[in-house]
Amino acid sequence: MLDLSTNVQYVKGIGPRIAEILLEKGITAVEDLLYYLPFRYEDRLNPRGINELRAGEMASIVAEVRTFGLFKTRRMPLFEMTVGQGRDTLKCVWFNATYLKDKFRAGMTVALYGKVEMSDFGRLRLQILQPQFEILHDPGDAESQSSDESKWKTLEVGRIVPIYEAAGKGKLTARWFRRVIYGMLEQLQPDIPDAIPPIVRGRMSLIDRRRAFQQAHWPEVGESLAKLQEARTPALLRLIFEELFFLELGLELKRRKMRAQTGIGFETNDEIRAAVRKILPFRPTKAQFRVLKEIVDDMKQPSPMRRLLQGDVGSGKTIVALEAAVIAIENGYQVALMAPTEILATQHFLSARTILEDAGYRVVLLTGSQEAGRKKQTRHHIAQGHAQLVIGTHALIQESVEFDKLGLVIVDEQHRFGVMQRFKLMKKTEVAEPDVLVMTATPIPRTLALTLYGDLDTSVLDELPPGRTPITTRRVGDDRSDEVWEFVKKQVAAGHQAYVVYPVIEEGAMEGELKAAIKMHERLRSKEFSSLRVGLLHGRMSADEKDATMAAFKRGEIHVLVSTTVIEVGVDVANANVMVIEHAERFGLSQLHQLRGRIGRGAAKSYCILMTGGKVSEEAHERLDAMVRTQNGFEIAELDLQQRGPGEFFGTRQAGMPNFRVANLLRDRDLLEAARKEAGYVLTNPSDVSKAEVDRAVTHLRSHWNRRYGLVEVG
Ligand code: ADP
Ligand code: MG
């Protein structure tokens, strides 16, 4: 009898050599192999008769190999094979498939799956082009002879058949998996323990685990194929929910553990409220009011705050963060503000100083490029508690700063995500856990927020400050670039400034046609914009050169800034109202959105011009259309997520995305929400969940899911 943890070597048909191939796929235990699910199913329940096929349909047939051959045409080799059922025959054609020439023998039984089409020769004959095939039976093969005839028939035809991805460079075929997994299921213990509490199972109508595995591999005869391919069957639903339930349970436990720690209960009173009001240079928007209240309510709790503040570029996160800082400082604590880059840290410092120093608060900046003596002195001020707001890069503050009494940490993530790192800093203080506010300018679709930041509370700034006029976005082909440059000149003549952005720095062999920033800077400067002052900004310039160029642009000494995507982050020049993006088809959606966020910051009407050159793929069209249609960051983020998938969306895998076996975040949002609700419920000590059931779920989580989900610290 096998159980889930049995090594796969004990499964019939798996020896040491095959076990090694499986190991490459991460399969070591029976449970892993059970999660090797078919990617589709084929209906060989009632394999179709050749005489009932119609052009245009997808069909699955089982037939006998009659004749075949490789034909050279002028364009490519064709492999043609005729298969038959009694007197009916059907032609199959594969392009460029020389490798098939030794694969078949007359008399073999094959299963074929593909699209039925009218043959070119118009004789009303049908054919299947490029069908997927599987050799079911080879009467000439000794091994096949000796194997039990009725066995292959029960597995390969007369039922809905699971199709698996082959492994080991084709050594382990779909057919191999079918046999081995079928055999394994026969030997599997009849009852698999289920750690999901019964009340949750009932509410979600989950079938039991044993049956879920059985059905996911070998659906019941009678199950409709269409339903199997498209929808989540009860079997799949069970497996997906289980995966999401334990993830959410882990996140919820982590969150509870954090809440149970001693934090700082900040106080507010009339005096402190007045101090906060005093720093405001403008009237906060309704959204800013609401979000500040959410933050302050957290800060007043004796448990540590862990809050994520999402707000599109320009939504006014900074002032909210500074208000929170004032509350902490008025309570006698220090505040750290960490930015992803030195440029951003400096920018935060400049605006924080303007806002806070008049009110008498002491703000310091700590950057890597500062001179050593100065840094030492700043550190001293921080350690002594003299510095009240400390601004620097993430790395710098985390690594080398000792605070006297740190109460609040503000992390400006912009659009990078250092999910796990963000809590490191907390080790610095021996007293209470400081509150943490993470700010991000990338709207995170709710599904991802629930998985990635499930342990954080979330606030959203969903309203732009007043006085902004919406940005007009247009797309044009670069054959109309003359008009675009004319337009830019007009805007400059009216006193404004413009960005022109390129996807690469220099024209390289790889990039061929792409216009590069350096080259176009030369050209625009000497030709189209010869009467204007044109600047250049790219990632290979030194920090000093970049700063100087940015400063000149900010002062209005540069009219048109030609740039790569380095301007994406942290540039705030209200007088710039035109953003031209060349080869816009090459940029990702979030990137386009971030770039566009650089304009529309002043009172003047702003324009974003998306120029395309060369081929524009279907997906690129969708991206550009979305840009023209909406300025809503969440809508754009959703589409971006759909196009690129969760891993790419964050640009990096280390972003802490769980590595799901069955769940698909795009398809299974509803189950994710349900799992979160149920996991939360289970942990609130309800009367219908016993302590033993909770313990069992938590133990299962620790032994099965923690490592997988990077939740190792869950305690
Ligand atoms: P982000 O969310 O991108 O960090 P900022 O905090 O930099 O946005 O704010 C963008 C601009 O809007 C800044 O120039 C800021 O001074 C201004 N701003 C923010 N809130 C308001 C408001 N309530 N009224 C007017 N201007 C505001
Ligand atoms: Mg900001």
Side-chain angles (χ1 to χ4, degrees):
M1 199 63 75
L2 302 169
D3 67 41
L4 294 187
S5 59
T6 313
N7 191 298
V8 281
Q9 290 214 33
Y10 295 97
V11 173
K12 217 173 126 212
I14 302 182
R17 277 226 328 276
I18 288 179
E20 225 161 88
I21 300 178
L22 291 175
L23 184 65
E24 280 165 29
K25 288 248 159 203
I27 298 171
T28 54
V30 164
E31 180 168 12
D32 302 324
L33 192 51
L34 285 170
Y35 273 107
Y36 197 80
L37 296 171
F39 64 91
R40 68 176 179 87
Y41 302 90
E42 211 166 288
D43 186 359
R44 298 188 195 152
L45 197 56
N46 310 292
R48 309 285 300 277
I50 290 176
N51 58 6
E52 358 159 50
L53 297 179
R54 296 239 157 84
E57 67 184 356
M58 295 298 290
S60 154
I61 64 164
V62 174
E64 187 189 286
V65 174
R66 297 276 163 83
T67 59
F68 49 83
L70 191 63
F71 299 93
K72 293 246 151 59
T73 68
R74 250 188 316 145
R75 286 185 18 243
M76 62 180 95
L78 288 183
F79 184 78
E80 291 190 359
M81 179 161 85
T82 303
V83 298
Q85 291 168 342
R87 293 174 51 195
D88 298 321
T89 60
L90 177 72
K91 193 163 83 173
C92 312
V93 179
W94 287 269
F95 306 117
N96 272 327
T98 319
Y99 66 95
L100 288 178
K101 76 181 180 350
D102 300 320
K103 200 116 200 159
F104 299 101
R105 266 183 286 243
M108 279 177 167
T109 307
V110 290
L112 297 156
Y113 174 75
K115 189 161 187 196
V116 180
E117 301 189 19
M118 201 66 81
S119 103
D120 285 344
F121 303 106
R123 283 177 293 155
L124 287 182
R125 292 224 1 140
L126 296 178
Q127 62 181 15
I128 299 195
L129 287 186
Q130 309 265 73
Q132 299 188 32
F133 68 90
E134 192 172 344
I135 297 164
L136 300 183
H137 186 60
D138 179 3
D141 175 27
E143 196 186 322
S144 193
Q145 277 295 3
S146 65
S147 81
D148 181 358
E149 173 102 356
S150 66
K151 185 86 179 209
W152 73 258
K153 278 211 166 134
T154 51
L155 291 195
E156 312 293 352
V157 287
R159 63 190 319 153
I160 286 180
V161 172
I163 309 293
Y164 299 92
E165 194 184 309
K169 301 196 179 71
K171 266 208 207 91
L172 308 185
T173 59
R175 188 165 62 142
W176 182 89
F177 277 109
R178 219 172 281 144
R179 286 177 188 206
V180 167
I181 291 174
Y182 187 90
M184 179 171 81
L185 281 162
E186 278 185 329
Q187 286 179 287
L188 186 63
Q189 63 184 122
D191 268 320
I192 301 181
D194 192 341
I196 299 181
I199 178 82
V200 176
R201 273 183 252 162
R203 262 202 299 252
M204 297 301 300
S205 314
L206 300 183
I207 63 172
D208 79 64
R209 281 183 98 194
R210 177 74 170 76
R211 229 178 106 214
F213 282 124
Q214 182 77 41
Q215 301 270 316
H217 290 280
W218 295 96
E220 248 152 42
V221 176
E223 191 90 76
S224 115
L225 187 71
K227 204 175 124 206
L228 279 172
Q229 307 291 37
E230 277 150 38
R232 291 176 309 209
T233 56
L236 210 51
L237 190 134
R238 151 83 220 200
L239 297 176
I240 295 166
F241 181 82
E242 181 176 338
E243 195 163 52
L244 298 174
F245 176 78
F246 285 106
L247 170 69
E248 291 301 332
L249 191 70
L251 288 170
E252 188 63 33
L253 280 171
K254 196 165 154 187
R255 185 188 168 95
R256 272 158 203 261
K257 191 181 163 200
M258 185 51 77
R259 297 288 183 287
Q261 279 178 313
T262 319
I264 305 158
F266 291 99
E267 278 171 29
T268 55
N269 53 35
D270 287 345
E271 213 175 304
I272 293 176
R273 275 188 285 272
V276 171
R277 236 173 289 127
K278 205 169 131 202
I279 65 155
L280 289 178
F282 34 63
R283 196 185 150 67
T285 62
K286 271 209 209 81
Q288 283 169 325
F289 262 123
R290 188 193 64 234
V291 166
L292 181 68
K293 181 171 184 318
E294 289 165 359
I295 294 169
V296 174
D297 285 347
D298 269 8
M299 289 177 72
K300 283 155 79 174
Q301 298 297 319
S303 57
M305 167 169 80
R306 294 293 176 266
R307 188 166 279 276
L308 176 69
L309 169 54
Q310 298 186 55
D312 230 332
V313 269
S315 59
K317 294 182 290 295
T318 315
I319 194 69
V320 176
L322 294 181
E323 288 176 297
V326 167
I327 293 171
I329 295 171
E330 289 291 332
N331 273 264
Y333 287 89
Q334 289 171 295
V335 178
L337 198 169
M338 312 198 291
T341 64
E342 229 172 78
I343 296 186
L344 272 179
T346 310
Q347 201 162 301
H348 274 309
F349 172 69
L350 294 175
S351 57
R353 204 176 50 178
T354 330
I355 293 173
L356 296 183
E357 278 192 347
D358 279 350
Y361 300 107
R362 294 180 298 274
V363 185
V364 299
L365 173 70
L366 195 63
T367 68
S369 56
Q370 279 167 349
E371 170 260 317
R374 168 118 173 262
K375 265 192 275 196
K376 196 167 160 215
Q377 199 187 11
T378 305
R379 286 212 184 88
H380 182 73
H381 282 316
I382 299 170
Q384 296 301 306
H386 182 72
Q388 293 172 307
L389 173 59
V390 180
I391 300 177
T393 58
H394 295 179
L396 197 66
I397 291 191
Q398 284 187 343
E399 277 156 26
S400 60
V401 180
E402 214 149 309
F403 287 86
D404 175 42
K405 205 178 169 199
L406 182 61
L408 172 66
V409 179
I410 301 164
V411 186
D412 188 359
E413 294 259 4
Q414 288 297 328
H415 45 282
R416 300 181 339 161
F417 297 84
V419 188
M420 291 302 159
Q421 299 94 298
R422 68 177 174 246
F423 295 126
K424 257 209 224 137
L425 185 72
M426 276 144 261
K427 304 283 174 306
K428 296 274 183 209
T429 42
E430 254 89 79
V431 259
E433 280 285 320
D435 282 355
V436 177
L437 178 68
V438 181
M439 303 193 288
T440 166
T442 304
I444 305 169
R446 181 166 164 78
T447 12
L448 289 185
L450 283 182
T451 16
L452 265 177
Y453 293 99
D455 54 334
L456 302 184
D457 298 300
T458 312
S459 293
V460 180
L461 271 182
D462 49 8
E463 177 189 357
L464 291 179
R468 310 272 169 89
T469 37
I471 300 168
T472 301
T473 303
R474 294 258 183 280
R475 40 179 300 197
V476 297
D478 62 2
D479 51 326
R480 289 174 57 194
S481 57
D482 285 350
E483 288 167 57
V484 174
W485 305 139
E486 272 312 307
F487 178 76
V488 169
K489 276 199 273 191
K490 262 201 216 118
Q491 289 297 317
V492 172
H496 303 302
Q497 290 164 280
Y499 299 96
V500 182
V501 179
Y502 293 90
V504 288
I505 302 177
E506 270 170 301
E507 233 162 312
M510 292 289 292
E511 305 292 348
E513 300 271 294
L514 289 185
K515 295 174 193 154
I518 292 176
K519 198 163 153 200
M520 282 307 288
H521 167 248
E522 273 313 309
R523 173 173 153 171
L524 289 171
R525 188 168 71 156
S526 56
K527 209 168 154 233
E528 285 86 351
F529 297 151
S530 56
S531 58
L532 307 181
R533 284 191 300 275
V534 184
L536 174 66
L537 190 73
H538 62 71
R540 273 187 227 159
M541 289 162 49
S542 73
D544 282 351
E545 286 173 312
K546 275 191 267 189
D547 286 351
T549 306
M550 275 318 301
F553 189 58
K554 214 164 178 163
R555 286 194 302 266
E557 292 162 14
I558 292 174
H559 297 127
V560 177
L561 185 61
V562 174
S563 163
T564 59
T565 52
V566 288
I567 54 147
E568 225 185 297
V569 164
V571 174
D572 192 359
V573 179
N575 191 47
N577 73 329
V578 182
M579 165 71 58
V580 180
I581 303 176
E582 282 225 60
H583 283 292
E585 76 278 3
R586 303 272 302 206
F587 290 84
L589 251 182
S590 296
Q591 216 175 10
L592 289 172
H593 181 65
Q594 292 291 341
L595 285 169
R596 182 169 59 183
R598 299 294 120 213
I599 56 169
R601 306 194 138 222
K605 175 126 197 59
S606 294
Y607 304 88
C608 175
I609 301 165
L610 306 170
M611 269 213 261
T612 54
K615 271 221 184 80
V616 180
S617 70
E618 188 79 21
E619 288 203 336
H621 272 300
E622 241 187 287
R623 290 197 290 273
L624 298 172
D625 288 346
M627 286 293 294
V628 171
R629 184 180 65 237
T630 181
Q631 250 175 278
N632 179 322
F634 280 92
E635 202 179 323
I636 285 174
E638 286 284 346
L639 181 63
D640 197 28
L641 177 64
Q642 275 167 36
Q643 282 204 348
R644 295 193 295 160
E648 286 288 305
F649 180 83
F650 287 101
T652 154
R653 288 209 67 84
Q654 64 87 42
M657 278 307 297
N659 183 8
F660 292 116
R661 302 208 252 204
V662 232
N664 170 335
L665 286 185
L666 296 182
R667 177 194 58 193
D668 302 325
R669 289 158 198 237
D670 54 335
L671 287 184
L672 185 70
E673 298 269 2
R676 180 175 175 83
K677 221 172 98 213
E678 295 295 341
Y681 177 78
V682 163
L683 293 177
T684 52
N685 283 321
S687 54
D688 46 8
V689 184
S690 74
K691 171 101 176 42
E693 284 165 2
V694 178
D695 288 348
R696 210 158 128 217
V698 173
T699 308
H700 182 77
L701 167 72
R702 288 209 188 110
S703 63
H704 275 70
W705 300 93
N706 269 5
R707 183 117 33 90
R708 187 165 202 98
Y709 288 164
L711 292 169
V712 238
E713 318 111 88
V714 174

